[in-house]
Amino acid sequence: MDFYQWLHDDPEQATIALLIIICIIATGFILTKYAKYRQRRKHRQEELFKQKYNIK
């Protein structure tokens, strides 16, 4: 059975499944962005620490 037949037979269940898939994709995207942000912030803090204590 293909997706369109399933959507036609049971639209409520298909809609819920699509919403769950969209939420999973959005969560992955947000976690990726947050990980990149944390990595940049950590690097910036290390640079400020080195400048403050004159570490080369």
Side-chain angles (χ1 to χ4, degrees):
M1 178 173 18
D2 66 344
F3 175 74
Y4 294 108
Q5 184 65 38
W6 180 49
L7 184 62
H8 181 72
D9 291 344
D10 196 354
E12 186 176 320
Q13 187 179 11
T15 305
I16 292 171
L18 284 174
L19 287 174
I20 290 171
I21 291 169
I22 290 170
C23 287
I24 290 170
I25 292 170
T27 303
F29 180 75
I30 291 169
L31 288 176
T32 302
K33 290 288 182 186
Y34 182 66
K36 288 180 182 177
Y37 164 75
R38 284 194 52 173
Q39 190 176 13
R40 278 198 320 265
R41 191 178 73 187
K42 181 180 177 187
H43 182 70
R44 178 78 178 129
Q45 285 177 343
E46 289 172 353
E47 291 297 319
L48 291 173
F49 182 81
K50 288 177 181 178
Q51 287 176 5
K52 183 176 180 180
Y53 295 107
N54 291 324
I55 300 172
K56 300 281 180 183

